[in-house]
């Protein structure tokens, strides 16, 4: 064997050490695990979001539990207990009329029977028990009427107090014990259900004939009842309570008023609003009148409207949950949803049935539920409102029962019908419907039978349409996008995602419009012009800005900038144009300096701009602001924005100035500068600079003149920017958000853009400079195109940040979910809505799930933005990769 | 700005220091070179023939420092009009620095300090009143590595006209064709003028850069090792091109390749460690140099 020659005299061990191999495989395993784990975690978040949001779109479900024959004839009223286990029926016909029977819904067995003699309801001609309570009003054939309580009262029943044989065996089962019922609930709990029938005192003045319809609402002082008799006379009675401030004693005074209906009008239906301030009288013909009864002593006829379309007859009128909306069923199978809206809707839609009244309201038909098929245009026989949502059940003479939702305007469910019930024929005209308190049971009564369904309604108020399309909400002027999720108990939640998506886009757009030019120009300056020593200090400083917590930025924007900008809005607007003009002017004047000075003080140019032109521009803006405000905005820009005073002139001037400036720059660059270059070949620098200054000044004058001309033109056409990009000034608005957000975005865009620009190979820069290009020409023509991919990434990363930013918009945007481009108006973003509302949304509620859907939407937006960005970036990169 | 360039200059300075420290055993004694390495002043040997030519560019006692490190020492040399002048010398001898000083690209390096002057057709280059942009428009430069801009072939060629604001399509087309023909590239690219210049081969790219340089109608063409990144075939084409430019343009070319210098230049200057050692007609430098050191270098005995 030959002696080995070595370079260093050290033998090298060639076998890889087991420890190295081991750490290699451990590292590989950990890295693989980490990578897969990350992907799984991201996917899991997505899956979780989808899993929470998906149930919103699952359909409603219903199954027929029971069809039980009834022998008692017409049923006057129907109700169920809180758990949906037992139901009560008030008989309206034959010898049992006025008696109440309680039926177990599990098997249809009669559990209790209370004859008319015990209920005090003998001789009743109209009974109304609004859903969700026991408050009742009963009208009698003799013209009197009473309020009271009718229904099933549930109370917790400890099992120990009962013998085992007194406990029902199955969930939902009921047993009669000592004149009341024991109902078995899920989870071995029991409730004691007793039938209540109490009637209050008679009215101060009864009606003359049999009461044919009656309505009751509960007000703070006591119930308000309204009744109509067969001659069309109307009586409204209420109990008003007053507390004596000294003794604390309550005194209740019954009050009443008789209303003389218009001549020839005979009301068949009478309904009040839940607040007891409106009274609706509706005749079978559809003729209807709305009274204001806020002051019960002096009811005022507000308007007359047509509740029944064309030749159809009104067959049923029901007040839906919330109390402001009427569902009117007619003889052609249609159900119309109507309420009083404020003001006049634009365009005067045919749906408005009222003429408008002194209280500023008028009745409007928000939507009409048509019968499923045109050939099934048979009369609506009953409508029952859900006691907890804007769901309602409708039955018609042919097809049986449907569940509808008034907000969404959707057909929720048509529960399966037993043949016996479906074939009941005309007799079902007498139907009664009831939706149980928990929306878990639906009851229907025809002449012959009681049908019971178990229902699961899902989230009927949510559909792709209500989330994305304009919806006509209660009391709104017309269909609109709205997001409004919290209010009183009977509040109609408005789950339109459009305002939030719009807010997100608005925040992003205005922030990017504000931040991108600043950041990119700063990056170009820093990478191409700034002295390396300065850059070494300034870049880290700007990067530190990126690490400012966004809550601090939000605080600054919302609480520090907002009031300042509100106070000095006009100087700010003026400065937007004056400061650049003054800076450009100073650059032109600089060129007029003797050439020796120019070269000697070249390093001070920036200082001159920063400490000379900028303060001068700001001072000028402040000085000229009041004059501009008088000239353009009639003296006060805030009230001008509010639409008070002034013409559209000022807004158009401001809106068209940037465009005019761009147009002027383009024209000068295209036509004037080449000509100037040709003729100025032999001129001295100073002469050329003077000519250029002259061109600049002419350009400024032309820009202003053009803007004024545009403004005069558009103003004379009666167009106004108010309502578009300008409008009412709100202290926290898109401008504030743009400024606040720019603190977060600019450092991001700046630093990435600067890296991209700095990494353009030096030899390209040298080549361009070597060819005699100025640094600016080099930057614009060579460096920026070469770095386009990186610059685009920078902008997109900024965009991603702006889309998802939460804290700044939360604190500075005012959180008013409006759909308006107005720069001076607030908005709410998806992220801000999620942040504010998720903690208070009940788990599993529609609100909760819609917020998750909002999160999913936000995710989708950022996903699309990032994907598009990446695709575009790849294109750019393909173009520049060979550098 | 320019951090890359300053790094380069630091590297270059380091190389200079390293080359000073290396002793070369076994080589014939080279007094001047040792003297230069020791930092002594050495008078350049400039042949009379050079001085008789009308100069386009006069370099006059030019010193240059990168920070505290002096990279060029009292360079005084005229560059003859309409001739090809080659700068040769070992790595780090300051050839490229000198070339980049001519069109003041070294201004971009922030630690650079100079004394002395250069005159282009009689105009002082380092006069504070001299507009550097205007100056660079009078020179065309081609770099070591082909550096076409990331735009079309056409736009690359007419770049200098674009920055001058020329918009006439006719003028641009004509200049483009003439320049590409001048750079012997026309036939290869005439059908794809609107394609990206980055799709060309290395040799084509370098000729494109030459076309771009001559499109600007420069008074001097500065070539900084134009063939060092090219294969022999591409090198041959560029050399042919330099041959064609000979007599019509004043060309100053930096090269490592002795054959290239001997084949394509009229005059050759030999530099070492920032100093001009010998400068004369190419035939004289390569066949009968005055100094032994020059002979040793051009015959490949060191460097």
């Amino acid at each position: 064997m030959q002696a080995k020659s070595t370079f260093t005299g050290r033998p090298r061990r060639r076998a890889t050490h087991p420890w190295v191999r081991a750490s290699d495989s451990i590292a590989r395993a950990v890295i693989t695990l980490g990578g897969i784990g990350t992907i799984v975690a991201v996917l899991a978040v997505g899956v979780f979001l989808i899993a929470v949001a998906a149930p919103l779109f699952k359909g409603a479900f219903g199954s027929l539990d029971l069809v039980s024959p009834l022998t008692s004839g017409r049923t006057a009223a129907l109700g169920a207990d809180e758990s949906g286990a037992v139901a009560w029926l008030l008989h309206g016909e034959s010898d049992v009329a006025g008696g109440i029977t309680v039926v177990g819904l599990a098997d249809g067995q009669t559990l209790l029977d209370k004859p008319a003699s015990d209920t005090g309801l003998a001789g009743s001609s109209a009974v109304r028990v609004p859903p969700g309570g026991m408050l009742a009003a009963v009208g009698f054939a003799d013209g009197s009427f009473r309020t009271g309580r009718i229904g099933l009262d549930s109370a917790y029943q400890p099992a120990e107090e009962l013998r085992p044989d007194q406990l029902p065996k199955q969930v939902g089962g009921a047993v009669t014990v000592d004149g009341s019922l024991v109902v078995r609930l899920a989870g071995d709990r029991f409730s004691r259900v007793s039938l209540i029938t109490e009637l209050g005192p008679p009215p101060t003045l009864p009606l003359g004939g049999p009461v044919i319809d009656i309505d009751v609402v509960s007000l703070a002082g006591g119930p308000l009842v309204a009744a109509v008799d067969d001659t069309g006379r109307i009586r409204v009675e209420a109990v008003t309570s007053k507390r004596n401030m000294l003794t604390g004693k309550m005194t209740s005074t019954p009050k009443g008023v008789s209303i003389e209906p218009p001549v020839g009008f005979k009301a068949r239906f009478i309904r009040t609003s839940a607040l007891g301030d409106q009274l609706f009288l509706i005749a079978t013909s559809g003729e209807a009148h709305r009274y204001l009864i806020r002051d019960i002593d002096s009811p005022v006829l507000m308007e007359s409207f047509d509740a029944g379309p064309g030749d159809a007859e009104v067959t049923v009128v029901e007040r839906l949950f919330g109390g402001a909306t009427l569902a009117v069923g007619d003889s052609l199978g249609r159900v119309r949803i109507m309420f009083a809206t404020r003001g006049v809707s634009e365009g005067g839609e045919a749906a408005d049935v009222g003429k408008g009244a002194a209280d500023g309201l008028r009745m409007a038909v928000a939507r009409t539920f048509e019968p499923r098929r045109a050939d099934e245009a048979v009369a609506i026989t009953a409508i029952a409102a859900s006691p907890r949502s804007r769901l309602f059940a409708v039955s018609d003479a042919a097809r049986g029962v449907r569940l509808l939702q008034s907000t969404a305007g959707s057909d929720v469910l048509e529960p399966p019908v037993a043949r016996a019930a479906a074939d009941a024929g005309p007799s079902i005209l007498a139907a009664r419907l009831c939706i149980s308190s928990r929306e878990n049971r639906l009851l229907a009564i025809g002449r012959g039978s009681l049908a019971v369904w178990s229902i699961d309604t899902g989230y009927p108020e949510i559909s792709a349409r209500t989330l994305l399309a304009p919806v006509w909400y209660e009391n709104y002027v017309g269909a609109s996008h709205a997001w409004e999720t919290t209010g009183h108990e009977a509040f109609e939640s408005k789950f339109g995602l459009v305002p939030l998506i719009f807010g997100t886009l608005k925040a992003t757009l205005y922030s990017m419009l504000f931040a991108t030019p600043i950041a990119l120009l700063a990056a170009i300056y820093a990478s191409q012009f700034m002295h390396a020593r300065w850059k070494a200090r300034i870049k880290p400083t700007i990067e530190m800005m990126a690490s400012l917590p966004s809550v601090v930025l939000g605080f600054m924007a919302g609480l520090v900038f907002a009031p300042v900008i509100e106070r000095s809005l006009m100087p700010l607007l003026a400065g937007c144009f004056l400061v650049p003009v003054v800076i450009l002017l100073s650059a032109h004047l600089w060129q007029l300096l003797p050439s020796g000075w120019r070269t000697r003080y070249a390093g001070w140019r920036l200082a001159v701009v920063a400490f000379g032109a900028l303060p001068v521009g700001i001072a000028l803006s402040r000085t000229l602001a009041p004059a501009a405000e008088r000239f353009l905005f009639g003296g006060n820009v805030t009230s001008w924005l509010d639409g008070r005073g002034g013409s559209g002139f000022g807004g158009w001037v401001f809106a068209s100035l940037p465009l005019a400036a761009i147009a002027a720059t383009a024209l000068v660059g295209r036509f004037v500068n080449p000509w100037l270059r040709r003729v100025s070949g032999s001129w001295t620098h100073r002469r050329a600079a003077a000519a250029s200054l002259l061109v600049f000044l002419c350009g400024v004058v032309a820009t202003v003149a053009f803007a004024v001309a545009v403004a005069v033109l558009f103003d004379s056409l009666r167009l106004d920017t108010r309502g578009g990009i300008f409008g009412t000034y709100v202290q926290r608005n898109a401008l504030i958000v743009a400024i606040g957000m720019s603190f977060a975005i600019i450092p991001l865009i700046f630093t990435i853009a600067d890296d991209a620009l700095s990494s353009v190979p030096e030899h390209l820069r040298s080549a361009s400079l070597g060819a005699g290009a100025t640094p600016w020409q080099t930057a614009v023509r060579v460096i920026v195109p070469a770095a386009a991919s990186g610059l685009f990434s920078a902008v997109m990363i900024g965009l991603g940040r702006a889309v998802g930013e939460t804290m700044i918009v939360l604190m500075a945007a005012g959180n008013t979910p409006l759909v308006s481009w107005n720069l001076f108006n607030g908005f709410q973003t998806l992220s801000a809505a999620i942040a504010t509302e998720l903690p208070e949304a009940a788990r599993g509620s529609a609100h909760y799930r819609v917020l998750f859907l909002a999160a999913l939407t936000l995710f989708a937006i950022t996903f699309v933005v990032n994907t598009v960005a990446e695709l575009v970036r790849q294109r750019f990169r393909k173009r520049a990769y060979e550098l | 700005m320019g951090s890359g360039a300053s790094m380069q200059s630091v590297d270059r300075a380091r190389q200079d220091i390293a080359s000073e420290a290396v002793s070369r055993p076994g080589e014939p004694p080279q007094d001047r070179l040792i003297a230069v390495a020791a930092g002594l002043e050495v008078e350049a040997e400039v042949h009379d023939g050079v001085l008789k030519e009308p100069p386009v560019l006069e370099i006059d006692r030019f010193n240059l420092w990168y920070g505290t490190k002096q990279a060029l020492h009292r360079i005084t040399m005229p560059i003859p009009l309409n001739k090809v002048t080659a700068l040769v010398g070992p790595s780090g001898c300051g050839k490229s620095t000198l070339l980049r000083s001519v069109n003041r690209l070294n201004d971009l390096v922030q630690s650079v300090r100079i004394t002395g002057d250069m005159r282009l057709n009689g105009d002082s280059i380092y006069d504070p009143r001299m507009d550097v942009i205007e100056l660079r428009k009078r020179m065309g430069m081609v770099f070591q590595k082909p550096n076409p801009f990331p735009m079309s072939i056409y736009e690359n060629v007419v770049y200098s006209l674009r920055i001058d604001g020329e918009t006439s399509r006719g003028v641009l087309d004509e200049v483009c064709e003439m320049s590409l023909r001048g750079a012997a590239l026309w036939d290869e690219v005439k059908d794809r003028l609107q394609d990206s210049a980055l799709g060309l081969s290395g040799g084509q790219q370098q000729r494109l850069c030459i076309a771009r340089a001559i499109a600007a109608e420069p008074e001097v063409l500065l070539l900084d090792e134009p063939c060092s990144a090219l294969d022999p075939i591409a090198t041959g084409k560029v050399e042919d091109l330099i041959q064609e430019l000979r007599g019509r343009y004043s060309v100053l070319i930096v090269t490592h390749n002795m054959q290239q210098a001997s084949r394509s230049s009229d005059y050759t200057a030999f530099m070492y460690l920032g100093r001009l050692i010998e400068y004369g007609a190419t035939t004289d430098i390569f066949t009968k140099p005055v100094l032994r050191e020059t002979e040793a270098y051009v015959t490949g005995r060191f460097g």
Side-chain angles (χ1 to χ4, degrees):
Chain A
M1 211 176 125
Q2 284 182 334
K4 271 188 191 157
S5 68
T6 67
F7 291 102
T8 60
R10 187 187 68 86
R12 183 172 181 201
R13 181 198 158 95
R14 296 212 157 84
T16 310
H17 196 285
W19 174 238
V20 173
R21 283 182 195 282
S23 54
D24 193 60
S25 45
I26 290 170
R28 184 180 306 170
V30 168
I31 291 167
T32 311
L33 209 68
I36 293 175
T38 310
I39 294 169
V40 167
V42 169
L43 285 179
V45 169
V47 167
F48 177 68
L49 290 181
I50 292 172
V52 175
L56 284 175
F57 302 103
K58 77 166 196 243
F61 171 79
S63 63
L64 184 64
D65 289 348
L66 175 74
V67 179
S68 167
L70 295 174
T71 52
S72 55
R74 193 173 70 87
T75 300
L78 170 68
D81 79 318
E82 200 190 316
S83 65
V86 292
W88 60 269
L89 293 76
L90 172 61
H91 305 296
E93 230 175 57
S94 73
D95 54 345
V96 290
I100 292 180
T101 301
V102 177
V103 177
L105 296 181
D107 49 10
Q109 292 296 312
T110 298
L111 297 170
L112 283 178
D113 243 331
K114 204 169 184 180
S117 55
D118 289 354
T119 60
L121 296 171
S124 61
S125 56
V127 179
R128 182 162 161 79
V129 185
M134 285 190 289
L135 178 69
V138 185
F140 294 91
D142 62 0
S144 80
F145 52 91
R146 292 162 182 239
T147 61
R149 299 204 304 149
I150 300 177
L152 294 166
D153 190 25
S154 300
Y156 174 65
Q157 170 66 57
E160 307 81 57
E161 293 175 4
L162 297 169
R163 295 193 310 276
D165 65 300
Q166 289 176 320
L167 297 178
K169 298 288 171 293
Q170 68 192 84
V171 172
V175 169
T176 315
V177 178
D178 307 334
S180 63
L181 305 166
V182 174
V183 171
R184 188 180 193 117
L185 307 174
D188 282 340
R189 289 176 305 115
F190 298 90
S191 92
R192 187 90 176 199
V193 177
S194 32
L195 176 64
I196 308 278
T197 46
E198 299 167 0
L199 289 182
T204 51
L205 183 68
L207 289 161
V211 174
I212 56 166
D213 198 19
I214 191 164
D215 195 14
V216 62
V217 287
S218 172
L219 300 180
L224 178 139
V225 62
V228 59
D229 71 5
D230 62 346
T231 59
R233 267 171 304 183
I234 291 139
R235 180 79 188 161
V236 180
E237 298 230 338
V239 177
T240 50
S241 299
K242 268 193 187 139
R243 179 188 289 274
N244 187 316
M245 294 300 279
L246 293 174
T247 59
K249 225 177 110 186
M250 299 282 287
T251 47
S252 300
T253 9
K255 271 178 152 184
V257 66
S258 295
I259 295 173
E260 273 310 311
V263 181
F265 173 75
K266 222 174 111 185
R268 167 67 187 83
F269 302 100
I270 187 164
R271 290 290 176 268
T272 65
S273 66
L275 293 175
D277 59 342
Q278 309 271 349
L279 179 71
F280 304 98
L281 305 176
I282 299 163
T284 319
S285 65
E287 185 184 351
H289 302 281
R290 180 167 65 84
Y291 284 81
L292 187 67
I293 52 167
R294 191 168 288 145
D295 178 5
I296 194 159
D297 294 327
S298 51
V300 188
L301 175 62
M302 277 294 140
E303 63 173 327
S304 302
F305 60 98
D306 184 12
D311 51 356
E313 288 194 344
V314 174
T315 54
V316 188
V317 176
E318 178 60 298
R319 185 174 66 214
L320 296 186
F321 181 68
T325 302
L326 295 181
V328 179
D330 67 28
S331 58
L332 295 178
R334 284 174 295 201
V335 178
R336 312 213 300 162
I337 302 297
M338 18 184 28
F339 42 73
T341 66
R342 185 157 293 282
V344 181
S345 76
E346 282 163 39
E349 289 156 43
D352 299 329
V353 290
K355 314 264 180 304
D359 59 355
L361 300 179
R362 71 162 167 181
M363 290 303 283
V365 176
R367 59 190 65 85
T368 303
F369 292 92
E370 297 289 339
R372 282 274 171 98
R373 290 201 298 271
D375 58 323
E376 287 176 354
V378 290
I380 299 293
T381 55
I383 298 177
S386 157
R388 61 186 292 184
S389 78
R390 277 159 182 78
L391 188 75
F392 59 100
V394 170
S395 72
D396 63 42
R399 289 276 292 185
V401 181
R402 284 197 289 166
L403 281 173
L404 306 173
Q405 217 281 342
S406 78
T407 306
S410 56
D411 263 322
V412 177
L413 179 67
E414 188 164 348
V417 180
R419 287 244 53 89
D423 292 343
S427 64
I428 210 166
L429 270 169
R432 296 278 166 203
L433 294 167
C434 172
I435 300 174
S436 71
S437 311
R438 294 179 188 159
E439 285 186 358
N440 58 347
R441 278 274 162 91
L442 171 65
L443 318 179
I445 287 181
R447 190 185 292 272
S449 58
L450 163 69
V452 180
W453 291 272
S454 282
I455 52 171
D456 176 3
T457 55
Y459 298 89
E461 68 271 47
I462 307 292
S463 67
R465 215 178 66 81
T466 57
L467 289 170
L468 298 174
V471 173
W472 196 340
Y473 297 104
E474 228 168 51
N475 305 124
Y476 274 47
V477 172
S480 60
H481 294 291
W483 172 266
E484 215 180 326
T485 52
T486 41
H488 58 88
E489 182 190 1
F491 170 80
E492 185 178 36
S493 293
K494 297 158 187 78
F495 293 121
L497 283 180
V498 170
L500 301 184
I501 296 172
F502 181 89
T504 300
L505 297 180
K506 183 177 172 184
T508 309
L509 179 79
Y510 282 128
S511 303
M512 292 306 282
L513 275 181
F514 191 83
T516 313
I518 296 177
L520 288 183
L521 288 175
I524 291 174
Y525 181 78
S527 68
Q528 304 299 313
F529 300 93
M530 195 182 265
H531 195 283
R533 211 167 51 220
W534 277 97
K535 191 183 158 188
R537 285 174 199 162
I538 283 172
K539 199 177 174 196
T541 312
I542 294 181
E543 279 165 359
M544 251 163 64
M545 236 168 84
S547 62
L548 277 175
S550 60
V551 67
V552 174
L553 296 176
F555 170 81
M556 294 285 288
L559 292 142
V560 181
F561 299 157
V564 172
I565 290 173
E566 188 182 29
R567 272 201 305 279
S568 47
L569 181 61
M570 194 60 217
L572 186 83
L573 289 177
C576 288
F577 296 99
L578 284 175
V579 169
V581 166
V582 170
I583 287 176
L584 288 172
L585 186 67
S586 76
H588 278 95
L589 291 175
W590 178 269
Q591 294 299 324
L592 284 175
L593 290 177
S595 74
W597 286 33
R598 256 186 297 124
T599 33
R600 202 173 319 147
Y601 300 113
W604 292 93
R605 278 177 306 187
L606 188 67
V608 168
V609 168
F611 301 110
L614 196 61
V616 167
I618 292 171
L620 203 63
S621 311
R622 295 195 76 90
T623 318
L624 292 181
E629 201 165 1
R630 265 197 308 281
F631 177 61
L632 296 170
F633 301 121
N636 186 333
V637 67
T638 316
S639 60
W640 180 85
L641 286 169
D642 222 4
R644 286 175 282 136
S647 62
F649 175 72
W652 283 113
V653 169
F654 261 86
S656 51
L657 263 177
L659 294 177
I662 291 170
T665 312
L667 287 176
V668 166
R670 183 77 185 79
F671 298 108
V672 182
N673 280 348
W675 169 80
L676 198 63
R677 213 175 270 130
R678 269 202 306 283
V679 298
S680 66
S682 57
W683 291 3
T684 61
H685 181 92
R686 184 175 266 201
R687 195 170 163 199
S692 158
L693 174 64
L694 195 69
V695 168
F696 170 71
L697 291 176
C698 291
V700 170
V701 171
T703 303
V704 172
F706 181 73
V708 167
V710 168
V712 168
L713 176 70
F714 283 141
D715 191 35
S716 69
L717 294 175
R718 296 258 160 266
L719 295 169
D720 203 332
T721 47
R722 287 175 285 186
I725 58 164
F726 297 133
T728 303
Y729 190 89
V730 180
Q731 197 196 40
R732 304 210 179 151
N733 57 48
L735 181 68
I736 305 291
V737 169
I739 292 172
M741 192 102 91
S742 67
F743 278 87
I745 303 174
I746 287 177
L748 262 184
I749 301 183
F750 168 82
T751 176
I752 299 169
D754 177 66
D755 288 345
L757 291 166
S758 299
S759 66
V760 171
E762 188 62 26
H763 61 76
L764 284 184
R765 205 165 120 78
S766 302
S768 174
L769 291 173
T774 61
W776 177 244
Q777 284 174 323
T778 304
V780 170
R781 288 168 182 268
V782 176
I783 308 288
V784 169
S789 136
L791 296 182
F792 191 78
S793 298
V795 172
M796 280 298 154
I797 287 169
L799 189 70
R801 168 89 199 250
V803 170
E805 178 53 55
T806 307
M807 221 50 218
I808 296 172
V809 287
L810 187 67
M811 299 178 79
N815 293 324
T816 45
L818 302 170
V819 182
S820 142
W821 284 114
N822 180 3
L823 176 62
F824 302 115
N825 209 342
F827 54 88
Q828 186 170 27
T829 65
L830 288 164
S831 55
I834 295 165
T836 43
E837 296 177 14
L838 199 52
E840 65 195 38
R843 244 183 116 85
S845 66
H847 186 197
Y848 180 82
R849 293 190 193 280
V850 169
L851 287 173
F852 271 79
L853 190 68
L856 205 60
T857 311
L858 188 58
F859 174 69
I861 293 175
T862 41
F863 180 79
V864 168
V865 165
N866 288 344
T867 308
V868 169
E870 189 55 27
L871 291 176
V872 175
R873 209 171 65 84
Q874 293 291 344
R875 268 189 72 88
F876 275 128
R877 200 152 63 178
K878 209 173 277 174
R879 219 176 61 187
Y881 79 107
E882 279 173 89
L883 289 175
Chain B
M1 181 174 83
S3 63
S6 61
M7 281 306 292
Q8 277 175 6
S9 67
V10 170
D11 283 348
R12 210 169 290 152
R14 286 215 188 95
Q15 281 168 17
D16 287 358
I17 294 164
S19 64
E20 254 180 322
V22 171
S23 65
R24 299 174 182 282
E27 294 216 345
Q30 286 151 13
D31 307 337
R32 277 169 185 266
L33 303 189
I34 290 165
V36 165
L40 300 175
E41 285 300 317
V42 175
E43 199 57 39
E45 187 67 43
V46 180
H47 299 198
D48 288 345
V50 186
L51 301 172
K52 283 181 191 140
E53 290 277 355
V56 62
L57 180 70
E58 294 160 273
I59 301 170
D60 186 10
R61 285 162 296 176
F62 192 79
N63 292 294
L64 181 140
W65 290 263
Y66 287 115
T68 54
K69 165 78 183 154
Q70 189 166 7
L72 294 175
H73 297 261
R74 274 180 79 84
I75 308 285
T76 300
M77 57 187 288
I79 310 297
L81 182 66
N82 293 342
K83 300 283 186 217
V84 177
T85 306
L87 288 174
V88 300
S91 289
C93 71
K95 312 179 294 284
S96 292
T97 300
L98 183 64
L99 199 69
R100 291 172 67 89
S101 299
V102 173
N103 68 353
R104 288 182 59 177
L105 274 182
N106 276 333
D107 288 12
L108 302 177
V109 184
Q110 271 151 8
S111 60
V112 158
R113 190 163 58 83
I114 61 115
T115 63
D117 198 8
M118 299 186 182
R119 282 182 297 281
L120 178 65
N121 285 327
D123 301 328
S124 168
I125 289 174
Y126 280 91
D127 188 321
R129 282 166 307 183
M130 170 56 88
D131 182 351
V132 64
I133 304 299
E134 198 178 295
L135 172 77
R136 288 182 189 145
K137 286 183 181 175
R138 294 166 65 180
M139 310 190 198
M141 181 138 183
V142 177
F143 297 79
Q144 210 165 342
K145 195 176 163 231
N147 54 0
F149 298 130
M151 40 179 109
S152 69
I153 294 170
Y154 183 90
E155 287 301 326
N156 259 285
V157 177
V158 301
Y159 182 75
S160 57
L161 282 77
R162 287 278 190 216
I163 61 176
D164 290 344
E166 181 61 61
T167 51
S168 157
R169 197 77 204 169
V171 174
L172 293 174
D173 285 348
E174 192 190 337
V175 168
C176 179
E177 180 173 347
M178 296 305 289
S179 308
L180 284 171
R181 281 188 194 283
L185 192 59
W186 175 252
D187 292 329
E188 291 165 57
V189 300
K190 64 182 177 201
D191 299 325
R192 46 177 179 139
L193 289 176
Q194 297 308 324
D195 291 3
S196 169
L198 301 174
L200 297 176
S201 73
Q204 287 173 324
Q205 287 189 358
Q206 194 62 303
R207 278 180 285 148
L208 178 66
C209 292
I210 296 173
R212 185 172 71 193
I214 61 182
E217 291 296 335
E219 294 169 33
V220 187
L221 201 54
L222 308 171
L223 308 179
D224 186 1
E225 299 184 40
C227 301
S228 65
L230 303 183
D231 65 57
I233 296 170
T235 303
K237 287 195 174 168
V238 173
E239 273 182 32
D240 292 346
L241 178 57
I242 296 169
Q243 290 296 335
E244 280 186 37
L245 300 177
R246 205 168 178 169
R248 291 192 286 141
Y249 284 92
S250 309
V251 179
L252 184 57
I253 175 170
V254 167
T255 179
H256 267 300
N257 184 327
M258 290 308 124
Q259 281 79 29
Q260 190 173 62
S262 66
R263 276 197 302 266
S264 51
S265 68
D266 301 303
Y267 293 93
T268 300
F270 169 50
M271 291 178 69
Y272 183 69
L273 289 187
R275 287 179 175 80
L276 181 63
I277 305 296
E278 186 167 356
Y279 181 26
T282 300
T283 45
D284 294 345
I285 295 287
F286 280 89
T287 56
K288 43 177 194 220
V290 174
L291 302 178
R292 280 188 302 138
E293 294 83 355
T294 309
E295 188 185 7
Y297 182 74
V298 300
T299 54
R301 272 187 279 152
F302 93 102

